[in-house]
Structure formats: C-alpha cells, structure tokens
Amino acid sequence: MSDARGRILNRCETAEIFGRSLPTIDNWVRLGCPFVERGERGREWQFNSAEVLDWRERRAVAKALGGALSGDLDPAQERARKDRALAIATELKNDLATGKVVLIDDAIAAVTIQNMKLRNKLLSMPTRIASRLPEQGRAQVFTLVEAEVRSAMEELTTGGEGHVTPAEVAAERGLTAPVEEPAHGR
C-alpha cells in the first residue's frame, strides 16, 4: 500500500533525492527498503519518497540506540548485549565493595565534611596564634593572620592559583581521553 504523503520515484530519482548512488539504492532494497513496484526488464523500480524517508529514519534511530529495528532482533546479539551489561554491573558492584570506586554522593559528602573541618580549623587559627603572643601587638598579628587565612579560603573557593582541574587530574593519572569539566561547578 502506497503512502499518499510521498511522491512516486524511480530508482534514479530516489538516488538523486537522497544524494546516494544507484548501488546504494540497490543495497537499501536488500536491507528492506520499501518499494511500490519491483523493477524488471522494461519496468522501472518505483519508490514512495515518504516511505523511503520513514524507513531511513527508523534505521537511523535504531542505529543510534545501538539496536535493530523491532522484529529484526538477533537473539545471539541480544544475549551478548545482556551478558555484557551483567558483566559490567557485576564488575561495578565488586569495585564498590572493594573500595576501588565510590559513589559520587559519598565522595561529595566526605569532601564537604573535610572542607568544613578545615574551614573551622583555619578560622580558629588567628585566635590561637594571637593568644600565645604578648598583649602588645596581639591585635595586629590577629588581623594579619586572619587576612591570610581568609585569602587562602577565598582562593580555594573560587579556584584561584593552585586550583586543579579534572583534566589535570586525568593527565596526572595517565589517562589519555580528556575529561570535560562540569558546566556548573559540580
């Protein structure tokens, strides 16, 4: 049954409209491309442009999703895909159990707690240092040390000098693929 949306095209017109060669159109037919009428001696192939376009879109989606079109599933490939997924899941579970990897939320919580402890320790430093000094000049030392501590904390917060990017960490670990930086600081 022909799709009323499209135009009826011969093989050459189909190749021209889709920007492909005649052998490619022949290959499409072998792969299941719909046609209105099979070409024979003295009779042109006929294709409905809308049906061909729909067929190509379905194939592109299936390819992008890494699978076949429905009804075209290969049981061996699907079993292999399932086995790979189970192996990856098992490996990840084992890596979590042995501590090779950690969940991002756990890592963020641990770093947040460490940063809060460090912040409290740094902010109490000027008072601890100043209390060990003679009364004379204590306020001046307190002010100088507090300014340095706050400057260091500001640099850590804003990623100033000494800030290490994920790409630099990856390079130090010898990873060849570049690591993209998060778009919004996480």
Side-chain angles (χ1 to χ4, degrees):
M1 183 171 166
S2 182
D3 191 332
R5 298 174 300 143
R7 282 184 30 213
I8 301 299
L9 307 170
N10 65 29
R11 190 167 146 261
C12 291
E13 291 169 328
T14 302
E16 185 178 327
I17 284 180
F18 288 97
R20 299 293 190 259
S21 67
L22 292 175
T24 298
I25 302 304
D26 295 339
N27 190 44
W28 287 0
V29 170
R30 282 190 291 279
L31 293 172
C33 178
F35 55 87
V36 176
E37 189 172 325
R38 179 179 296 279
E40 294 178 5
R41 281 195 178 164
R43 196 168 9 150
E44 289 277 342
W45 280 90
Q46 290 186 357
F47 298 90
N48 180 296
S49 60
E51 290 175 0
V52 174
L53 183 60
D54 289 346
W55 177 80
R56 288 187 34 86
E57 287 175 350
R58 284 192 312 274
R59 287 184 53 82
V61 167
K63 185 176 181 182
L65 295 175
L69 297 171
S70 60
D72 293 345
L73 296 178
D74 178 1
Q77 286 180 337
E78 293 306 309
R79 231 180 344 271
R81 185 189 329 259
K82 179 183 173 190
D83 290 345
R84 269 193 310 278
L86 287 173
I88 290 169
T90 301
E91 188 175 340
L92 180 59
K93 192 175 182 179
N94 290 339
D95 287 348
L96 278 168
T98 60
K100 277 185 169 178
V101 296
V102 295
L103 297 174
I104 189 77
D105 291 339
D106 293 345
I108 290 171
V111 169
T112 300
I113 290 168
Q114 289 295 350
N115 284 346
M116 288 186 329
K117 288 179 179 178
L118 177 61
R119 178 184 183 277
N120 291 339
K121 194 85 161 164
L122 287 172
L123 288 175
S124 68
M125 190 183 296
T127 304
R128 288 193 325 268
I129 292 172
S131 68
R132 295 181 191 160
L133 299 173
E135 188 70 36
Q136 184 182 2
R138 185 180 287 181
Q140 188 177 13
V141 170
F142 176 87
T143 304
L144 289 172
V145 173
E146 183 181 42
E148 287 299 316
V149 166
R150 291 196 181 277
S151 172
M153 287 175 44
E154 176 68 23
E155 193 171 299
L156 287 172
T157 304
T158 61
E161 187 179 328
H163 176 72
V164 179
T165 66
E168 291 168 332
V169 171
E172 184 143 329
R173 289 183 174 174
L175 299 175
T176 56
V179 176
E180 291 185 24
E181 297 226 17
H184 46 73
R186 193 162 178 198

